[in-house]
Each structure stands twice: as C-alpha cells, then as structure tokens.
Amino acid sequence: MTSPGTDRARAKDYVELHAQVQSSMNLLDSLESFLSSFQRDLSSVSGQISELQERSKDIDGRLKSRRRIEKPLSKLVSELTIPPALILTILDTEVGESWIPVIDDFEGRLDTLEVRARVKAARDLGDISEGASHCSTKLRAFFLALLQPIKDSSSVYMKYRSLFSFLQRKAEPVAKEIQDSLGWLKVLRVTEKFEALVTLSVHQGGSRLDHERLSYAKIDGPSVILAYMADDKTHKEPLEAILRSLFLVLMDNATAEYSFITTFFLFQPLAPVGDQENSSSAPLLSPDHGVVDDGKSIADSEARTEVAGPNLSMGRNGLGRLMDTDKSARNELVNLWKKVFDPVLEYTKAFLVSVVEPPPPAIPLLTMVRLTEAVLAEVQKRQCSPLETFFFTMRLQLWPVFQKVMTEHCDSLKKVAEKPSGYFAKTNPTTDVMISNICQSYTVMFQSFVLLTSEAEETMIFSNLFRLQQELDKLILRHTESVTDPIARATKRSAIYEILLQGLIKSSHLTQHPKVQTELEHWSEKEQSARQTILSTGQRNKVRQ
C-alpha cells in the first residue's frame, strides 16, 4: 500500500496536469475561434478581390471603348468647330484674295454640319450655318463689281474661281446670274472688235505676183489689222488681210473663251481636304497645265490663247477634266460659249457671204481658202469643237466658189479662142497686147497657186490649171492663125511662148517644183516647135529661091 504522502503528491500532480489540460483546451478553443474568424475574413477578402477584378475588367473595357472613339470624336469636334479667325474673315472682311484659301474650308465645315444634323452639337450650330447666305450675298456683289470694268481679263476671274465654285454649290441662282451677266458683256466686247474690222476699205491690188498678199494665207505672217485703223477712212487693206484679221481675232478670242468657260464654269464637287492640299498649282486657264504656245498666239490679236498640249486628255484641268463630265454638262458649257460667240459667228458668216458674192479674183480667193484651212488646223489643235465646226463649214462654202471662178476663167478663154461659125457670125478680135496680158496673168496665177499649195498632187488646183493651159494653148493658136506668112506666124507664137517661159522662171526657187517643171517642159516644147518651124520654112524658101 502507498503512503498517504505519496497519494497527496500524485493528487497534486494530477491537479496540475488537469489544470494544464484545461489551459490547453482553452487555448485550443481560442485558436479554433481565431481560425474561424480568419476563415470568415479570408472569404470576405476573397470576395472583395473578385469584385475588384470584375471592376478592373469593366474599367479596362470602358478605357478601350473610349480609346476607340477618341479619334472619331476628336475629328467630329474638329469638324463641328468653326475657328473664330474663319468666321471673322467671312463676316467682317471684304471679298478678296484673303478669301481664296479659306472658302473651301468654310464650305467643307458647312457641309459637315448638314451631314451631322443628328448630332446635338451640330444642331446647336445651325444658326452659324446661315453664314452661307451672307457669304453668297457678298460674293454676288463682288463678282458683279468685277463685271463693271470690261477691261478685266479672264485671268482675273480665274483667280477667284474657288469663290465662284462655292456659289455654284451653295447658291446656284446667284452663280447663274453672274454667268449670264458675264456672257452678255463678253458678247458686246467681242462684237465691237469685229464691227471695226469689216468697215475697212478694200485694196484691190495689181496683176503681178505679190508675195505679201500670198502670206495672208498663213497664220504666221503679218500682224493683224488693229481696230483703231478703221477710224482712218483713207486706210485700205487687201480683202485677204481683212478676212485674215477677222479669222485670227475670232480664233484667239473664241478658243481662249472656250478654255475659260469650260474651266471657270465647270461644276466641281468640293474636294476632300487632303486632295485640296495636294492639288496642282498650274494655271486653271491652261488646259495642258500652263503650257503656252506663244508661236500660235498672233501678235496684236487682242487676246493671248493658252494652247492645249499633247497630253491634254490626261490632265485634270480645263478640257481634260471636261472630257470626264457627262454629256448634258458639256452641252451646257458649249451652249454658253455659243451664247457669247453665235452673234460673232453670224457676223463673220455674213461678211464671208458678202466677200464671195460676187466672187473675188481666183488668187485672193484661194488665199482665203488656204487661210481657212490653216485656221481650222490650229483650232483642231486647241480642241475648240464648236469653232472647228464653224471653220469646217466655211471651208466647204469657199471651195465651190473657187471652182466656179476657175470654170468662168476657162469659159472666158474658150469663148475668146472659139472660131466664129455661120455667115453672120462676128469675130472676136484679139490683139498682141491682149494675149500678152493674158499670158502674164496666167503665169502669175500659176506661180501663186503653186506657192499656195503644199501638196504636189492636189487635184482641185492643178486640174483647173491644166484646163486653163489647154484653153490658153488654143487661144494662142487661134490668135496667130490670121498671120498668113508661116515664118511670121511661127515667130509670133515663139514670142508668146517666150513670154510664158520668162514669166514662169521669174521665181527661181519654184523651178524645182514638179508641176512647174512640167509646165516649163510643155511651153518649152511649144517654143522649140515654133523655132523648128521657122528654121525649116526658111530653109525651104531658100531652096525654092
């Protein structure tokens, strides 16, 4: 058995152990409670983290969305905003060169306000867009003021073409009014030039070979007759010179006006800003981007024409751009040109009719035909189609008149050379002077026709000369038939043929021409035949003696 002391010691140990166990239990309970709280806090933190992640994703999505609309929104704000400087220029300054660089920008912003009408900010700016009406009013007054001094040239208007284009797009009635007013004023100005030319007195000239008068068949030649010369009632000019001046003034003015009308009045949509910045700086009046053929713009013709180059159809200015427009727009511009020049064309046509009725001599007439052909070729280069049609018609009218004149010449020679028939028939007396004059006139006509003909084989010209040659040959034979002495008759023929040969070789530079050589051979054979007749007859007479 254990002693009581030992039992007490163990009991004390048990009590202490129990206390420790109890203390551990309490600690475990506290730890359990702490862990439970920590778990709850951890779950709460986890939920908050998940919420923050969701919010972060939402913010990131909203940021991306705002980045996507940042540029369009910035562009929209820029388009809807009208700079104060632009407003001050349009509202508070007079129309002038300062408007040229800003008018397209102003119109572009007005168009944007119309397109963005569903945007509240654009609707709020609706009152400002009424500035287009104010702008059109100021432009109308400006262009009508330009019309007052007739001296203003087309280049002045071309400088302000962008302002007129604004009116075409934003105020069409105003643009139409300006267009009509400008057209009528140009009709008056051009008609005045032509009225002065046709009042000049005509200088008939002589029967000699006149190289100066033949030069009127070319564009590159003497200066045109100036309008002030008509004031001098004693001043006279050859008929070809008057017609040449009339044609050249018409050509230069009409082609320049056609280029102006098809450029200035051609409707164009407003180009995007980028295209405006990169647009060509070439002069708009020049259909070939400013290439000017000064050699074909006649001095003193009172207009300088910008001539189309070989790459015209490729250009984006002038007639090159006109080719891309629809047919109705082209017809409208052509009709506008006709409105200006139809009175002048009718005036020119009436003058030409007065020239050919009664017909002029053959040489001036052929000079006028060649002039018409030269002007027609130049107009074709400048691509003025309505004027080309006019000159083509003039050419068709002149050739039958020329043929009629040549037929009359042949008939007159034939009538003189015909032998009278019948008992009561009257003879047509011919004299040596008459025959000499006819031969000189023939050689002048032949040389003139050769000088006026570029092609060696032109049927219309040389077939008529051949007919004249045959009739002249008959006339010479008939004139010398009255001489009974064979030697005297052959001598007279030889003298006449010598007149023809000397007349043909006066212009030595023409002797190389194939037709001149053929003509010389013909009359040389005739002259040699006459000389042989003289020699053979003389020898026979000597033998008889």
Side-chain angles (χ1 to χ4, degrees):
M1 293 183 59
T2 60
S3 63
T6 304
D7 293 335
R8 285 192 203 98
R10 288 182 176 177
K12 186 179 180 180
D13 292 335
Y14 287 139
V15 170
E16 291 177 357
L17 179 61
H18 178 71
Q20 291 176 355
V21 170
Q22 190 64 38
S23 176
S24 297
M25 291 295 291
N26 292 335
L27 289 172
L28 289 173
D29 290 338
S30 298
L31 180 60
E32 182 181 5
S33 176
F34 174 76
L35 290 174
S36 297
S37 299
F38 177 76
Q39 186 174 10
R40 288 196 300 272
D41 293 340
L42 186 61
S43 298
S44 176
V45 170
S46 177
Q48 292 177 359
I49 292 174
S50 298
E51 183 180 354
L52 289 174
Q53 288 177 338
E54 293 297 329
R55 290 179 61 186
S56 177
K57 290 180 180 180
D58 181 57
I59 292 172
D60 186 56
R62 290 165 61 187
L63 178 61
K64 290 181 179 179
S65 298
R66 291 184 179 180
R67 284 178 176 173
R68 282 196 298 269
I69 66 172
E70 179 181 5
K71 289 184 178 180
L73 183 61
S74 175
K75 181 180 179 181
L76 176 62
V77 172
S78 176
E79 291 174 348
L80 297 181
T81 302
I82 301 180
L86 179 58
I87 293 295
L88 291 175
T89 300
I90 299 298
L91 298 181
D92 296 341
T93 64
E94 296 297 327
V95 179
E97 294 186 16
S98 61
W99 281 47
I100 297 175
V102 302
I103 191 67
D104 287 344
D105 183 26
F106 179 63
E107 184 181 0
R109 294 178 186 275
L110 293 180
D111 290 342
T112 300
L113 293 179
E114 294 177 2
V115 173
R116 304 287 189 178
R118 293 186 299 174
V119 180
K120 184 177 183 301
R123 294 196 299 271
D124 293 340
L125 291 173
D127 294 338
I128 297 179
S129 65
E130 294 179 1
S133 176
H134 177 77
C135 182
S136 301
T137 302
K138 296 181 73 172
L139 288 175
R140 176 183 178 275
F142 172 75
F143 277 107
L144 291 180
L146 279 182
L147 298 179
Q148 298 304 320
I150 303 296
K151 63 182 180 179
D152 280 348
S153 64
S154 297
S155 60
V156 175
Y157 297 98
M158 291 308 304
K159 181 168 64 174
Y160 299 107
R161 183 176 183 277
S162 59
L163 305 185
F164 184 79
S165 296
F166 174 86
L167 290 177
Q168 284 183 309
R169 294 186 288 263
K170 294 298 181 182
E172 186 176 352
V174 176
K176 185 67 175 175
E177 178 187 359
I178 295 171
Q179 177 177 304
D180 293 341
S181 301
L182 181 59
W184 283 117
L185 286 176
K186 291 197 174 224
V187 169
L188 295 175
R189 186 180 66 181
V190 175
T191 304
E192 288 175 355
K193 299 178 183 179
F194 285 78
E195 288 177 345
L197 285 173
V198 298
T199 58
L200 286 166
S201 300
V202 177
H203 171 62
Q204 296 297 339
S207 59
R208 62 183 178 83
L209 181 63
D210 193 337
H211 290 276
E212 182 179 355
R213 293 190 66 171
L214 295 179
S215 66
Y216 293 128
K218 300 178 181 180
I219 293 180
D220 300 324
S223 299
V224 299
I225 304 170
L226 300 181
Y228 76 87
M229 294 180 180
D231 297 334
D232 184 1
K233 301 304 180 182
T234 62
H235 185 78
K236 293 184 178 182
E237 292 285 350
L239 184 59
E240 314 94 287
I242 298 176
L243 187 68
R244 177 177 179 272
S245 297
L246 199 65
F247 277 5
L248 295 186
V249 171
L250 173 61
M251 178 184 71
D252 274 356
N253 283 272
T255 54
E257 188 64 20
Y258 187 73
S259 180
F260 169 74
I261 287 175
T262 54
T263 303
F264 188 78
F265 294 117
L266 179 63
F267 180 84
Q268 285 183 287
L270 183 65
V273 177
D275 291 347
Q276 293 176 17
E277 293 175 353
N278 296 326
S279 62
S280 173
S281 60
L284 289 172
L285 188 57
S286 172
D288 60 338
H289 296 270
V291 176
V292 180
D293 188 353
D294 288 327
K296 294 301 183 182
S297 185
I298 308 305
D300 302 324
S301 63
E302 305 183 21
R304 176 180 175 181
T305 304
E306 309 243 353
V307 184
N311 295 325
L312 178 65
S313 60
M314 300 301 293
R316 309 311 309 155
N317 289 331
L319 303 181
R321 190 165 52 238
L322 178 65
M323 296 174 63
D324 296 335
T325 61
D326 59 275
K327 185 177 180 181
S328 61
R330 290 198 302 270
N331 289 339
E332 183 179 353
L333 293 175
V334 170
N335 290 335
L336 178 59
W337 181 89
K338 289 182 178 180
K339 182 178 180 181
V340 176
F341 276 93
D342 268 353
V344 177
L345 298 181
E346 291 299 325
Y347 206 81
T348 306
K349 190 182 298 183
F351 176 74
L352 190 63
V353 170
S354 68
V355 166
V356 298
E357 294 179 1
I363 297 174
L365 183 57
L366 183 58
T367 302
M368 290 186 285
V369 172
R370 296 308 190 199
L371 170 65
T372 305
E373 292 176 341
V375 173
L376 174 61
E378 181 62 24
V379 169
Q380 289 174 335
K381 292 179 182 178
R382 301 186 186 189
Q383 297 194 1
C384 181
S385 56
L387 188 63
E388 178 183 342
T389 302
F390 172 78
F391 278 111
F392 185 76
T393 304
M394 294 298 97
R395 179 192 176 196
L396 292 180
Q397 291 179 357
L398 286 172
W399 272 118
V401 178
F402 173 78
Q403 183 61 45
K404 178 183 176 182
V405 169
M406 295 304 298
T407 300
E408 290 176 353
H409 280 307
C410 292
D411 291 343
S412 63
L413 282 181
K414 184 177 181 180
K415 185 175 181 181
V416 174
E418 283 179 346
K419 292 181 179 181
S421 60
Y423 183 78
F424 296 101
K426 293 179 62 178
T427 61
N428 297 321
T430 58
T431 64
D432 292 344
V433 175
M434 176 194 294
I435 298 301
S436 176
N437 290 336
I438 291 176
C439 290
Q440 290 176 359
S441 298
Y442 173 79
T443 57
V444 169
M445 179 180 292
F446 189 91
Q447 290 176 322
S448 299
F449 281 16
V450 170
L451 288 171
L452 291 171
T453 305
S454 58
E455 298 180 8
E457 299 294 336
E458 187 166 350
T459 305
M460 177 69 77
I461 302 299
F462 294 110
S463 62
N464 283 295
L465 286 176
F466 180 74
R467 291 170 59 199
L468 279 177
Q469 180 198 78
Q470 298 301 310
E471 297 301 332
L472 179 59
D473 204 357
K474 294 177 183 177
L475 176 61
I476 294 172
L477 294 177
R478 191 249 166 156
H479 174 66
T480 55
E481 282 179 352
S482 58
V483 181
T484 56
D485 182 22
I487 295 179
R489 183 170 57 246
T491 301
K492 179 175 286 192
R493 289 178 181 176
S494 176
I496 295 174
Y497 296 143
E498 189 65 29
I499 293 174
L500 288 169
L501 290 171
Q502 289 179 359
L504 289 172
I505 64 176
K506 276 184 179 179
S507 299
S508 58
H509 66 283
L510 290 178
T511 56
Q512 301 302 319
H513 192 281
K515 291 298 181 181
V516 176
Q517 291 179 351
T518 302
E519 189 73 11
L520 287 172
E521 290 173 1
H522 173 78
W523 296 116
S524 294
E525 290 176 1
K526 294 287 184 179
E527 199 274 337
Q528 290 175 3
S529 176
R531 287 182 179 276
Q532 289 176 358
T533 300
I534 295 172
L535 293 175
S536 61
T537 305
Q539 289 176 356
R540 285 197 299 270
N541 290 340
K542 287 181 179 180
V543 170
R544 290 174 183 173
Q545 292 175 357

